[in-house]
């Protein structure tokens, strides 16, 4: 751990980074692999995001974004899964990042304990670069535009048929939500998820899920059978979008960060977008002020302008919200307990992110959000 490099913590605080900042030595090694880094100089910026390391450097032909993952989180093969999806979307006209290839044509390269990917710095204003994760979106016109672009992405994704991701770590899936018996499904997964199994072995985890999460799950697996698998972004927060102004309106110029992408469903992705952008998860003590119903409805309205939803689908969308974080919260537990060795952060993922989010939807504020979405059907 590098105590000099500090990033955003789980409680919106500043903490030492899980991973060291990208060094000049690493940039020099990458320069030998990627012609786009020819003449690269000093690092211009280091990302404050906590679960990987990223930096922007100036190359001879322009700025380059470098992102580095520990091999316990992404190897070159699992990272290439994201890149193939991005390439499909680009071919369908979705404004996505330009993933760079090295001299051998690879989009992901491994060196020591690390896996690297490089992107051209995309067009558009990064309006939310310094905004912490889990911060709600207050601009309704931007929420409407974000919903419209998400629907555009889903239309393009419908023709993409790649299989499920090769990793669970820091990937948003809906496997447990689609399962008839999520506890049995999770137990079957333990063989390939030893870090998660080890963490949960110390918890009364079955009781925790039965009391807080599974009541929301009742009946969802049958209703989801009508929702086809669809490769989705699964992390649709406005900080993962770049923007440009067109007249009085802000439009999405580029879609970023497909790290959580996997085959889920369009409704799962839209529910995730509402969860990410319409609830101030770090300020729940403010009660009703922590929920931004107008933002949720603007996202939904913008989405339906491009990809209409039936009444039944909107009701299902609302009912997905309390459990949409189910699979991903467990992947965070796995990441913290297995990759970083932080049981304290794994506890936050389990108690606060998984159980706490589900419990919040039973509060007055959570119920108000669900009621507004049901009413919008």
């Amino acid at each position: 751990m590098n105590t000099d490099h500090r990033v955003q913590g789980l409680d919106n605080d500043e903490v030492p980074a899980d991973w060291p900042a990208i060094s000049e030595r690493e940039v020099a090694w990458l320069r030998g692999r990627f012609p786009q880094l020819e003449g690269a100089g000093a690092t211009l910026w280091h990302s404050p995001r906590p679960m990987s390391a990223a930096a922007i450097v100036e190359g001879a032909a322009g700025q380059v974004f470098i992102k580095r993952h520990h091999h316990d989180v992404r190897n070159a093969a699992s990272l290439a899964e994201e890149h193939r999806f991005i390439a499909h979307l680009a071919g369908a006209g979705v404004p996505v990042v330009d993933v760079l290839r090295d001299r051998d044509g690879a989009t992901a390269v491994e060196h020591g304990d690390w896996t690297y990917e490089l992107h051209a710095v995309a067009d558009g204003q990064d309006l939310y670069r310094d905004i912490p994760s889990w911060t709600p979106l207050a601009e309704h016109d931007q929420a409407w535009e974000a919903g419209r672009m998400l629907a555009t992405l889903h239309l393009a994704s419908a023709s993409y048929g790649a299989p499920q991701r090769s990793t669970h770590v820091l990937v948003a899936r809906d496997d447990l939500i689609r399962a008839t018996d999520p506890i049995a499904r999770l137990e079957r997964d333990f063989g390939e998820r030893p870090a998660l199994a080890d963490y949960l072995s110390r918890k009364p985890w079955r009781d925790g899920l039965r009391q807080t999460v599974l009541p929301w799950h009742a009946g969802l697996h049958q209703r989801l059978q009508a929702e086809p698998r669809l490769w989705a972004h699964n992390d649709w927060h406005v900080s993962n979008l770049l923007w440009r102004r067109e007249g009085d309106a802000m439009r999405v110029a580029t879609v970023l960060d497909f790290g959580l992408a996997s085959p889920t469903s369009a409704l799962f992705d839209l529910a995730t977008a509402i969860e990410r952008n319409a609830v101030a998860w770090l300020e729940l003590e403010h009660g009703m002020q922590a929920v931004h119903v107008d933002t949720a409805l603007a996202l939904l309205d913008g989405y339906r302008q491009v990809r209409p939803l039936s009444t039944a689908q909107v009701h299902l969308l609302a009912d997905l919200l309390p459990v949409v974080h189910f699979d991903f919260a467990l992947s965070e537990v796995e990441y913290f307990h297995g990759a970083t060795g932080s049981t304290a952060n794994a506890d936050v993922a389990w108690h606060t992110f998984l159980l706490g989010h589900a419990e919040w939807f039973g509060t007055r504020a959570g119920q108000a959000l669900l009621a507004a979405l049901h009413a919008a059907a």
Side-chain angles (χ1 to χ4, degrees):
M1 180 180 293
N2 180 353
T3 57
D4 295 329
H5 179 43
R6 302 182 73 81
V7 296
Q8 177 200 340
L10 297 182
D11 196 30
N12 197 18
D13 49 353
E14 189 179 86
V15 299
D18 290 338
W19 312 112
I22 294 172
S23 69
E24 298 302 320
R25 178 177 296 180
E26 290 173 284
V27 175
W29 181 83
L30 289 167
R31 192 183 301 127
R33 295 290 302 263
F34 287 85
Q36 302 87 347
L37 285 178
E38 182 179 350
T43 301
L44 304 176
W45 170 81
H46 288 284
S47 172
R49 303 297 179 188
M51 294 180 178
S52 60
I56 293 176
V57 300
E58 187 74 56
Q63 293 182 356
V64 176
F65 177 84
I66 302 172
K67 191 171 185 179
R68 189 197 65 210
H69 313 262
H70 192 267
H71 65 68
D72 287 343
V73 180
R74 292 289 184 273
N75 58 27
S78 62
L79 198 53
E81 294 164 356
E82 302 167 21
H83 297 164
R84 287 192 289 271
F85 181 42
I86 292 171
H88 172 85
L89 295 175
V94 179
V96 291
V97 294
D98 182 14
V99 182
L100 303 180
R101 294 182 179 273
D102 75 354
R103 299 182 192 280
D104 298 324
T107 60
V109 297
E110 298 177 0
H111 184 57
D113 290 338
W114 308 109
T115 307
Y116 299 86
E117 59 180 315
L118 274 63
H119 305 164
V121 171
D123 293 332
Q125 296 176 261
D126 196 350
L127 299 179
Y128 297 90
R129 185 167 80 174
D130 298 320
I131 298 298
S133 301
W134 303 108
T135 298
L137 172 61
E139 301 293 335
H140 297 159
D141 60 334
Q142 292 178 25
W144 188 93
E145 168 65 7
R148 186 195 68 80
M149 182 55 71
L150 182 60
T152 301
L153 184 151
H154 289 165
L155 292 179
S157 177
S159 57
Y160 188 68
Q164 181 57 273
R165 296 296 298 271
S166 60
T167 181
H168 286 271
V169 179
L170 297 186
V171 170
R173 297 193 186 194
D174 66 352
D175 300 344
L176 298 178
I177 301 172
R178 287 182 180 267
T180 302
D181 183 345
I183 289 178
R185 171 61 192 262
L186 188 54
E187 289 173 332
R188 289 198 301 272
D189 287 345
F190 281 164
E192 60 187 62
R193 307 179 72 178
L196 179 60
D198 181 66
Y199 176 86
L200 292 181
S201 70
R202 312 170 194 196
K203 301 279 184 185
W205 64 272
R206 295 173 185 85
D207 290 340
L209 293 182
R210 289 189 183 110
Q211 292 169 9
T212 61
V213 178
L214 296 191
W216 297 108
H217 176 266
L220 281 181
H221 61 285
Q222 292 112 333
R223 296 164 67 190
L224 280 169
Q225 290 177 7
E227 291 299 314
R229 289 281 192 183
L230 181 85
W231 266 76
H233 186 278
N234 297 334
D235 192 17
W236 200 257
H237 186 267
V238 289
S239 61
N240 286 330
L241 304 172
L242 299 182
W243 301 82
R244 69 172 183 273
R245 180 168 293 281
E246 291 184 1
D248 293 332
M250 295 299 292
R251 300 296 185 201
V252 173
T254 309
V255 180
L256 306 173
D257 198 350
F258 286 79
L260 275 58
S262 76
T264 53
S265 71
L267 291 186
F268 178 94
D269 211 9
L270 180 55
T272 299
I274 292 171
E275 186 206 37
R276 294 282 196 272
N277 294 283
V279 181
W281 291 107
L282 301 177
E283 300 176 356
L284 296 184
E285 69 277 8
H286 295 161
M288 290 297 296
Q289 295 179 16
V291 62
H292 296 245
V293 170
D294 288 348
T295 297
L297 295 178
L299 276 161
L300 175 59
D301 185 52
Y303 188 94
R304 292 196 287 191
Q305 295 298 313
V306 174
R307 190 174 182 274
L309 299 174
S310 68
T311 298
Q313 284 178 308
V314 178
H315 286 306
L316 178 54
L317 170 72
D319 291 339
L320 276 172
L321 266 178
V323 295
V324 76
H325 199 49
F326 192 0
D327 286 77
F328 184 64
L330 289 171
S331 83
E332 291 178 307
V333 170
E334 187 173 7
Y335 165 79
F336 288 123
H337 190 66
T340 72
S342 174
T343 300
N345 282 346
D347 284 343
V348 173
W350 171 255
H351 292 289
T352 304
F353 291 173
L354 178 53
L355 304 183
H357 282 202
E359 289 173 342
W360 178 82
F361 280 98
T363 68
R364 178 169 168 256
Q367 288 289 295
L369 176 57
L370 299 182
L373 290 169
H374 283 298

